[in-house]
Amino acid sequence: MPSGPLGAAIQRGRALLVATRESLPGHVGNGLRCTSCHLDAGRRQAFGSWVGVYARYPQYRPRSATVETIEYRINDCFRRSMNGTPLAADGAEMRDIVAYLWFLSRDLPIAPPPAGNRLQQWAALTADTAAGAAVYATACGKCHGLDGQGTAVAPPLWGPKSYNVGAGMTRVRTAAAFIRENMPFDQPGTLTDQQAFDVAAHVSARPRPDFPDKIHDWPNGDAPPDVAYPTLAAQRKSAAAPARAHAP
Ligand code: HEC
Ligand code: HEC
């Protein structure tokens, strides 16, 4: 840990990510903290790790169809995963969070994210939400609550205090990858791929806060198949489809 002002900024950034609601109540609209999904303060080498993240930005992302800075990406999680409001990109809180993410990425080469779709493995599976509800009852409910609303030991998975519809975790493949590698919290890695996929489908289908801006996601119409909400670009595409069907 560097000494002096830089070390102090890194430590303040880490504290904001671990105690997000307490530190930034005006920016958090649910019962989560950043490290609810980025485990061990982002240091766990599993899906959701922040190790190296600073070196992967700026990065083009199809959801926004723009080149995103790390500040933009952080604010995406504030608006969606935290169901809250973005930080000022040039404020002290953002600076300290970026300092912490830089610290987790020191000595790693600046490089684009690995090519290929890490979530492709899930395309081969078909989700069974009834089986997923059974996995939930035996492997998840004791911590997250049988009603999914969270308990003293674990945050909510659906309902008004959860991440919103626009969050990456609402995608079945993203949730499956997170759950497969990180959950159950006390026995990670014990679910099969099929169990992780089924329980992800069960959780993703539960009600949660809306994210009205989602309509503008993937403006080039290249949303992945596990995105469960309509976008303007997809509507334009399907409006054009019948015309093609009638063509000779
Ligand atoms: C509900 C779960 C959840 C919460 C809470 C959450 N995130 Fe995320 N975050 C994700 C997911 C899922 C991804 C995409 C991970 C991936 O594709 O590897 C992500 C990605 C990121 C990335 C980019 C990672 C990369 O490798 O490109 C950053 C930075 C980030 N989150 C920061 C934050 C911050 C800061 C907060 C708190 C304000 C936060 N997240 C809260 C789920 C969450
Ligand atoms: C032993 C308790 C425990 C069990 C069992 C458990 N979890 Fe978790 N889970 C946690 C804790 C604790 C966190 C947040 C970690 C933190 O804040 O540091 C978490 C975080 C999560 C998150 C991201 C944060 C959120 O609330 O959206 C998801 C998704 C999740 N768990 C899904 C599951 C699923 C699905 C199962 C069953 C397969 C499961 N968990 C089983 C304790 C548990």
Side-chain angles (χ1 to χ4, degrees), residues 25-57:
H27 294 276
V28 176
N30 63 17
L32 302 183
R33 55 182 184 158
C34 299
T35 55
S36 297
C37 301
H38 302 284
L39 299 178
D40 299 342
R43 286 167 313 169
R44 189 176 300 186
Q45 294 280 15
F47 193 90
S49 169
W50 281 327
V51 174
V53 66
Y54 183 86
R56 292 194 286 275
Y57 285 80

